[in-house]
Amino acid sequence: MEFQEAVARLRIHKTIRKGAIERQHTQTENKERKIFFHRSSSSSSKQKTRPSEIPIEFQCPVSGTLMKDPVIVSSGHTFERACVQACNTLGFTPTLMDGTVPDFSTCIPNLALKSTILEWCRNYSLDPPNDKMTLDFFSAEKLVRAKILETQQQKPKPPKKNEHQDTGAGIDHVVTDLITQTPSTHDSWSSDDSPLQLKTRSSYYSSPSSSTAEIEAFNPNPKDEEFVRKLKSPLVFEIEEGLISLRNTTRAREDDTKLQLCTSRLLSVLQPLIISRYTNIQVNSVACLVNLSLEKNNKIKIVRSGILPLLIHVLKGGFPEAKEHACGAIFSLALDDRNKTAIGVLGALPPLLHLLRSAESDRTRHDSSLALYHLSLVQSNITKLVKLGSVPILLEMVKSGRMESRVLLILCNLALSPDGRHAMWDSGGVEVLVGLLRRSELKSESTQDICVSVLYGLSHGGLRFKGLARAAGAVEVLMQVEKTGNERTKEKVRRIFKMMTEIRMEKEDVNWEEVLEDSGSTRCRFGGGKDGLSTNA
């Protein structure tokens, strides 16, 4: 009996245990189904939110692809950097969808848009733009060439000469057909605009600069053909030979060799050579660019080719001789007023100032000082130089006697600007200049004249200049200069004295008796002394 009860209890226990195991297994399966359903639903939701197309503001207007390195050009439009460089190289200016024409003279990185594109890719789990997805320079150049060819094909063809050549009726017939077309064929055009659009359509697609590039792209210049072939060679020694030959050829001054060789194709070939890791290639390529920039008509073309950032790169970290030639190239390009602002915007001022201060080569310091002088003729560059802290550096160079005349020319431009005047007052510029005039070893009349010119620029500061000049003993020194200087220097000294006299007259033009009377009446009205105060209180 007991044995049967024990067997029954064992069966009941096994049944209960089996049921618990089955319930636990069922619960585990349900959890896995929930997890799988959640994952599948989340993945499907992500797939649903994946965008069907790239936003138009993230696409380059030239290539139509997602931009990796967006830059803002002078006209305010944003493009892929490689497309801008290709357009500059070929001299092509496209017309955008809204009919506007961009200006590729300068470009600045659009960091805000770049970070927005990366954030957009991250939100939609897309790969950020990389080298495989975006165009490189050579691919962009091929694309721009194709657009140039497309533009040429879209231009209206002129009527053939052999048609109606006896009376010229052919031309009249063509014009009549254009004007008298039925309205049904031009529902979206006005009657006045239809012939004008057909006649001037080519002007919407290209600019005068792009037409020149088209001629160069499809009708190569035979003079630069041999140089381009050598400079594209994969062999280093052939590139060096081609650069040496080009450098010797561009030294000629008697003919228009520089003008004929400065083509968009040659400039595009020189671009990668300027930042080459081989010393001879970098030095000779920058030297060739200096020779080409000596031609007046080449200056604006070189800047628009996009080669200026590479020259600034050489200024910052190139070989010493290449830095020397780069300073000369920027000095030559800065002679054109249209290039001054662009050179300053692209960041040439900091490396030029550094080379002026610490370069080992006298030629480098000389060319950098002349480049800074011509660049400081523009107000925007003066503001940049003041913010860079150039005034204390330049005044210290004057005190030490290094590059006195060249540095004084730069200070003369700075003194004509309010920002430059305040920076020179704060840095003790009046004292430094008066001390320079007081030195007995100052024999150069030109240096003396420039020094007086800087003081004359600072004299427009009113009472503050008068106080600083009096503290530095400028009156006695200027009187001595007036006796010994040339006529131009004497005239500037007289103007400084006149400015100081007008300042004194303005200061003493106040009627102090009226002021005292007004102050006395004020004291009577409000009470004077301690009693008055206590009474009014």
Side-chain angles (χ1 to χ4, degrees), residues 217-450:
F218 297 99
N219 298 302
N221 185 359
K223 283 199 171 184
D224 70 344
E225 185 72 29
E226 182 66 20
F227 294 115
V228 171
R229 185 187 63 79
K230 287 186 177 180
L231 298 183
K232 283 187 174 182
S233 173
L235 302 176
V236 175
F237 75 91
E238 285 191 3
I239 297 176
E240 291 179 350
E241 290 178 355
L243 287 172
I244 293 173
S245 177
L246 179 62
R247 184 176 179 180
N248 293 330
T249 304
T250 52
R251 283 176 180 171
R253 299 182 180 179
E254 63 277 0
D255 54 8
D256 56 350
T257 303
K258 297 185 183 69
L259 185 61
Q260 294 179 1
L261 287 176
C262 189
T263 61
S264 299
R265 186 172 59 160
L266 183 65
L267 292 175
S268 65
V269 175
L270 282 175
Q271 285 185 2
L273 304 180
I274 289 176
I275 54 176
S276 174
R277 65 179 184 272
Y278 296 100
T279 306
N280 292 334
I281 292 179
Q282 186 181 99
V283 169
N284 288 312
S285 60
V286 179
C288 291
L289 196 62
V290 175
N291 294 340
L292 292 173
S293 68
L294 297 178
E295 174 64 36
K296 182 179 179 180
N297 296 327
N298 291 343
K299 298 182 188 297
I300 188 69
K301 188 174 186 179
I302 291 173
V303 172
R304 288 181 177 176
S305 69
I307 212 166
L308 192 56
L310 303 177
L311 285 175
I312 297 173
H313 178 78
V314 174
L315 288 179
K316 295 178 180 179
F319 297 104
E321 189 176 354
K323 288 182 180 180
E324 178 180 317
H325 293 309
C327 287
I330 292 180
F331 159 51
S332 176
L333 296 173
L335 295 176
D336 194 315
D337 293 338
R338 295 170 293 179
N339 295 337
K340 288 181 172 63
T341 302
I343 294 174
V345 168
L346 292 175
L349 297 177
L352 285 173
L353 184 63
H354 174 71
L355 292 174
L356 173 63
R357 183 183 183 184
S358 58
E360 297 180 358
S361 170
D362 294 337
R363 181 69 176 272
T364 303
R365 291 196 300 269
H366 178 269
D367 288 345
S368 61
S369 65
L370 291 177
L372 287 172
Y373 166 72
H374 287 281
L375 292 174
S376 61
L377 294 172
V378 179
Q379 177 60 39
S380 60
N381 290 335
I382 291 178
T383 304
K384 290 182 176 64
L385 285 172
V386 172
K387 290 181 179 180
L388 286 172
S390 63
V391 172
I393 296 174
L394 297 175
L395 290 175
E396 185 62 31
M397 293 182 66
V398 171
K399 289 173 64 177
S400 62
R402 291 185 298 160
M403 305 285 295
E404 282 180 350
S405 59
R406 302 298 183 188
V407 173
L408 285 173
L409 286 173
I410 303 171
L411 290 173
C412 188
N413 290 339
L414 297 180
L416 298 177
S417 168
D419 296 335
R421 280 198 296 269
H422 284 85
M424 293 179 70
W425 293 337
D426 296 338
S427 303
V430 176
E431 182 180 358
V432 172
L433 295 170
V434 173
L436 181 63
L437 290 174
R438 188 181 287 115
R439 280 173 16 196
S440 59
E441 63 270 17
L442 186 62
K443 302 294 183 182
S444 174
E445 289 187 358
S446 61
T447 304
Q448 187 183 64
D449 181 63
I450 300 171

Side-chain angles (χ1 to χ4, degrees), residues 36-83:
F36 176 77
F37 177 77
H38 175 71
R39 288 179 179 175
S40 61
S41 62
S42 62
S43 61
S44 62
S45 62
K46 287 184 179 179
Q47 291 176 355
K48 289 181 181 179
T49 58
R50 185 181 292 271
S52 59
E53 60 182 11
I54 302 173
I56 189 66
E57 60 269 17
F58 295 168
Q59 301 178 21
C60 175
V62 175
S63 64
T65 58
L66 184 64
M67 289 184 284
K68 175 190 174 185
D69 188 9
V71 294
I72 302 176
V73 298
S74 301
S75 57
H77 302 92
T78 300
F79 296 85
E80 180 68 33
R81 183 185 294 275
C83 293

Side-chain angles (χ1 to χ4, degrees), residues 17-33:
R17 186 176 180 184
K18 183 177 180 181
I21 292 172
E22 288 178 353
R23 285 196 300 273
Q24 184 177 4
H25 182 67
T26 303
Q27 292 176 357
T28 303
E29 288 182 350
N30 291 334
K31 289 181 180 179
E32 291 177 353
R33 288 175 183 173

Side-chain angles (χ1 to χ4, degrees), residues 86-302:
C87 289
N88 279 329
T89 299
L90 298 175
F92 177 69
T93 304
T95 298
L96 305 183
M97 297 294 293
D98 57 357
T100 59
V101 178
D103 180 10
F104 291 145
S105 58
T106 59
C107 62
I108 302 174
N110 193 342
L111 300 180
L113 181 59
K114 185 176 182 179
S115 60
T116 304
I117 292 174
L118 294 176
E119 183 66 21
W120 178 78
C121 293
R122 193 180 301 112
N123 291 337
Y124 291 103
S125 301
L126 298 173
D127 294 332
N130 50 45
D131 295 336
K132 294 182 179 179
M133 297 170 56
T134 57
L135 296 174
D136 57 4
F137 172 76
F138 298 102
S139 301
E141 189 176 7
K142 291 180 181 178
L143 177 64
V144 173
R145 288 182 185 275
K147 287 186 175 293
I148 294 174
L149 185 60
E150 180 183 357
T151 301
Q152 285 187 334
Q153 293 175 352
Q154 290 177 347
K155 290 180 180 180
K157 295 182 179 180
K160 296 181 180 180
K161 293 183 179 180
N162 57 1
E163 296 179 1
H164 309 282
Q165 61 182 2
D166 51 345
T167 59
I171 298 177
D172 297 334
H173 178 68
V174 172
V175 175
T176 305
D177 288 343
L178 290 176
I179 297 176
T180 60
Q181 286 176 349
T182 58
S184 60
T185 59
H186 298 285
D187 292 335
S188 61
W189 293 352
S190 64
S191 59
D192 295 334
D193 292 341
S194 57
L196 183 62
Q197 287 187 353
L198 289 174
K199 288 172 66 177
T200 61
R201 183 173 182 177
S202 60
S203 64
Y204 288 118
Y205 286 88
S206 63
S207 62
S209 60
S210 64
S211 61
T212 304
E214 293 170 7
I215 296 174
E216 293 180 3
F218 297 99
N219 298 302
N221 185 359
K223 283 199 171 184
D224 70 344
E225 185 72 29
E226 182 66 20
F227 294 115
V228 171
R229 185 187 63 79
K230 287 186 177 180
L231 298 183
K232 283 187 174 182
S233 173
L235 302 176
V236 175
F237 75 91
E238 285 191 3
I239 297 176
E240 291 179 350
E241 290 178 355
L243 287 172
I244 293 173
S245 177
L246 179 62
R247 184 176 179 180
N248 293 330
T249 304
T250 52
R251 283 176 180 171
R253 299 182 180 179
E254 63 277 0
D255 54 8
D256 56 350
T257 303
K258 297 185 183 69
L259 185 61
Q260 294 179 1
L261 287 176
C262 189
T263 61
S264 299
R265 186 172 59 160
L266 183 65
L267 292 175
S268 65
V269 175
L270 282 175
Q271 285 185 2
L273 304 180
I274 289 176
I275 54 176
S276 174
R277 65 179 184 272
Y278 296 100
T279 306
N280 292 334
I281 292 179
Q282 186 181 99
V283 169
N284 288 312
S285 60
V286 179
C288 291
L289 196 62
V290 175
N291 294 340
L292 292 173
S293 68
L294 297 178
E295 174 64 36
K296 182 179 179 180
N297 296 327
N298 291 343
K299 298 182 188 297
I300 188 69
K301 188 174 186 179
I302 291 173

